[in-house]
Amino acid sequence: MKKKYVSIILAIALLLSVLTATASCAKSKNVTTYEMWLDFDDEGVSCAQKLHFVNNSGKPLDNLKLNVYANAFDSKKPLPATQQEQASAYPNGVSFGSFELEQVHGDFANYDFDFETNLITINLAQPLQNGEDIDVQFIYSLTLPNTLLRYGFNERGVSLTGFYPQLCALVDGEWYYDEFSAIGDPYFSDVADYEVHFNLPDGCEYVSSGKSKSSEEDGETQVTAKAENIRDFAIIISPSLSKKTEVYKGVEFNYLGSNPYTLEYAKRAVDVYSATFGKYAYDSLSIADMPFVAGGMEYGSLCVINEEIKDVAYEEVVAHEIAHQWWYSAVGSNNLINAWQDEGLTNYSTYLYFIEHCNVEYADLMISDAYSQYRRFCDIQNSVGEPAVGRLGGKLADFPSNYYYTNLTYNKSLMMWKHAQDTLGKDALLKALKNYYEKYQFAIASEDDLWTALDETIPNGSGIIKDFIKAV
């Protein structure tokens, strides 16, 4: 990557000049907005960020709380990978990153960055009433770890995900947060609008959340990406992968990789889920093939797929990660304590994807594998004198292992939704899930919200699922 010497002073000047030009635009929007300016160089990333927060919680707020997920990769913190996956997560040896908070500006009393909890707390001079807004500006720099985890760099490129100070989710008028977990997906947030500006390193291609435009300035490629109503913003940059863009039914599809079938799988998945649950909520969808310790990962209108996966298993991962745009991105849920809520629906949606496209054999294999793996999991737990606790849900950090988490959150959840389909009827269940998608799009749906959406369509329909959740 091209070396570019940009000082923090220049970053501050850039921030303040752009803030002046865009303040009236941001203020006119009654939504929370992130504006970011990123500069990539050989040392890492220099960042300037403006947060325009609108209090729509229904309650006065005394402070703002923001998660700094990138801080979890610091050398003074526990490794953000389980012991079982450390070798694959760090093929070149353990590597660390850093988040350096340089300055915070705004009309507030004071702020605190708690290194241990990864939280920035902005204490307000006076309570922010419902409907009121506030602007806060941040200057920070990132050093990226060399890893195959979600965040960092490797021989294929850079995964810039969870890199910025991001507001914790508001649940019942309170900021909700928990410790960073190496198990599961420790990210939880409300939707917001984003406008992100960054320089593209020489010889690289990229995909990002939202739609983007690039231009040449002083011999360098500058990119501006915009997205609305997404839960997080991500950028994938690669010096070796090629990019392909297609517009299909009004949605811009971007792909960074070499699989000739990926865009067909993606368009097919969007068609299936739009017809089954409700229209795709965004005007773009990006996919990147990258080295990764897991099968794939979802972000706001962007998915990462493990490039090592082949054949129909690759198609399954693409379909799974795109289903998360319905269950995670559009309809949010608290995956810090109820990871089954989005993962189970996503697995069930993937099963429906194969049913709709006449690969019933593979759909049946998904169900039989879930049952056989879960039974084996229970047998193993019993054999070592630690019987499996089969109730779905619970804090991510409380799961004993990824194996335990996977069998409950993925396998048992898929079994549950297939059981609901067989018991309640497929048409009735899908009608209920359409209701769920329509009611809670761009919101955070609780367990009770899911039960209500089911019961509104199928009287007492949630009872079957509740019983399944509690059973071993």
Side-chain angles (χ1 to χ4, degrees):
M1 294 183 180
K2 180 181 177 183
K3 180 72 176 177
K4 184 181 180 191
Y5 295 94
V6 176
S7 68
I8 291 300
I9 294 176
L10 180 57
I12 294 172
L14 172 65
L15 173 66
L16 294 178
S17 65
V18 179
L19 288 181
T20 301
T22 62
S24 60
C25 175
K27 286 286 187 179
S28 67
K29 296 189 70 175
N30 194 33
V31 296
T32 294
T33 305
Y34 294 83
E35 295 179 78
M36 291 182 273
W37 298 264
L38 315 178
D39 182 81
F40 289 87
D41 62 35
D42 288 347
E43 304 301 321
V45 191
S46 298
C47 309
Q49 174 177 324
K50 173 189 172 182
L51 168 67
H52 174 70
F53 171 67
V54 181
N55 180 11
N56 290 322
S57 70
K59 298 180 180 179
L61 297 173
D62 294 324
N63 56 40
L64 310 182
K65 288 190 180 292
L66 299 95
N67 249 313
V68 184
Y69 299 112
N71 193 58
F73 291 78
D74 194 280
S75 61
K76 302 181 187 67
K77 307 296 287 278
L79 282 179
T82 64
Q83 186 174 359
Q84 293 77 16
E85 68 183 3
Q86 283 176 18
S88 56
Y90 299 100
N92 299 318
V94 173
S95 174
F96 301 98
S98 66
F99 172 90
E100 299 294 334
L101 182 62
E102 306 291 344
Q103 295 189 37
V104 183
H105 299 277
D107 186 14
F108 54 82
N110 55 66
Y111 75 92
D112 173 69
F113 176 32
D114 188 329
F115 180 85
E116 295 304 320
T117 63
N118 307 319
L119 287 177
I120 297 175
T121 301
I122 308 293
N123 295 307
L124 304 178
Q126 57 187 17
L128 190 69
Q129 301 299 320
N130 187 57
E132 293 183 341
D133 56 52
I134 187 172
D135 290 347
V136 183
Q137 298 92 38
F138 304 86
I139 303 293
Y140 54 96
S141 58
L142 308 169
T143 302
L144 306 181
N146 180 200
T147 178
L148 303 190
L149 294 168
R150 301 176 183 90
Y151 167 75
F153 74 93
N154 52 61
E155 73 280 0
R156 187 66 79 195
V158 171
S159 294
L160 201 65
T161 69
F163 63 94
Y164 56 96
Q166 183 179 24
L167 287 165
C168 299
L170 277 166
V171 178
D172 297 327
E174 302 291 336
W175 299 110
Y176 193 101
Y177 55 93
D178 205 346
E179 61 190 295
F180 189 93
S181 172
I183 293 176
D185 300 335
Y187 311 105
F188 180 40
S189 62
D190 291 294
V191 297
D193 291 356
Y194 286 79
E195 182 172 324
V196 181
H197 311 263
F198 61 94
N199 65 304
L200 185 65
D202 286 349
C204 290
E205 277 289 3
Y206 76 96
V207 290
S208 73
S209 299
K211 282 188 173 181
S212 63
K213 293 182 178 179
S214 60
S215 60
E216 295 298 319
E217 298 179 17
D218 300 325
E220 192 170 55
T221 301
Q222 299 291 333
V223 180
T224 296
K226 296 181 181 181
E228 295 182 351
N229 290 319
I230 59 173
R231 296 195 186 272
D232 53 2
F233 187 94
I235 306 170
I236 309 297
I237 296 175
S238 175
S240 58
L241 294 175
S242 59
K243 182 178 179 180
K244 186 176 182 181
T245 298
E246 292 183 15
V247 176
Y248 176 71
K249 295 184 179 179
V251 177
E252 180 182 280
F253 288 78
N254 300 290
Y255 172 53
L256 198 61
S258 58
N259 190 309
Y261 303 108
T262 301
L263 284 175
E264 291 307 311
Y265 298 153
K267 290 184 287 187
R268 183 183 300 171
V270 169
D271 279 347
V272 170
Y273 304 145
S274 292
T276 305
F277 306 116
K279 185 180 178 181
Y280 180 61
Y282 306 103
D283 59 6
S284 67
L285 176 60
S286 295
I287 303 168
D289 290 343
M290 291 286 284
F292 193 45
V293 295
M297 185 63 197
E298 70 280 1
Y299 306 98
S301 67
L302 184 150
C303 309
V304 170
I305 311 298
N306 184 336
E307 65 178 11
E308 296 297 320
I309 299 174
K310 306 298 181 185
D311 304 321
V312 70
Y314 178 89
E315 182 178 4
E316 179 187 353
V317 175
V318 171
H320 177 98
E321 301 308 334
I322 290 176
H324 270 303
Q325 298 303 320
W326 275 256
W327 319 119
Y328 159 74
S329 193
V331 177
S333 55
N334 190 344
N335 49 284
L336 302 182
I337 56 172
N338 284 325
W340 64 269
Q341 197 167 338
D342 72 302
E343 291 295 354
L345 277 174
T346 295
N347 257 3
Y348 177 59
S349 301
T350 308
Y351 162 81
L352 293 174
Y353 165 91
F354 284 105
I355 291 290
E356 290 300 315
H357 282 275
C358 302
N359 195 341
V360 177
E361 182 179 354
Y362 195 81
D364 289 343
L365 181 63
M366 288 180 63
I367 300 299
S368 62
D369 276 357
Y371 272 94
S372 62
Q373 290 176 32
Y374 186 72
R375 289 190 188 109
R376 177 171 172 75
F377 159 68
C378 292
D379 289 344
I380 290 173
Q381 292 300 123
N382 287 328
S383 70
V384 297
E386 299 177 1
V389 178
R391 190 191 189 287
L392 299 182
K395 289 178 57 175
L396 296 179
D398 290 343
F399 282 95
S401 65
N402 255 327
Y403 180 64
Y404 208 111
Y405 170 83
T406 297
N407 271 284
L408 285 173
T409 303
Y410 291 81
N411 291 330
K412 188 177 180 183
S413 293
L414 175 57
M415 292 158 51
M416 176 185 72
W417 286 110
K418 180 58 165 62
H419 173 71
Q421 173 183 298
D422 294 342
T423 306
L424 302 174
K426 182 179 177 181
D427 290 345
L429 178 59
L430 296 187
K431 184 178 180 181
L433 292 177
K434 279 186 178 181
N435 180 39
Y436 178 58
Y437 181 70
E438 181 180 355
K439 287 188 68 172
Y440 298 105
Q441 190 170 125
F442 306 138
I444 293 173
S446 67
E447 251 186 87
D448 288 340
D449 292 331
L450 177 56
W451 307 149
T452 299
L454 288 169
D455 291 339
E456 284 176 348
T457 308
I458 311 168
N460 301 317
S462 66
I464 291 170
I465 297 178
K466 290 177 184 176
D467 290 342
F468 204 96
I469 286 176
K470 296 175 185 176
V472 173

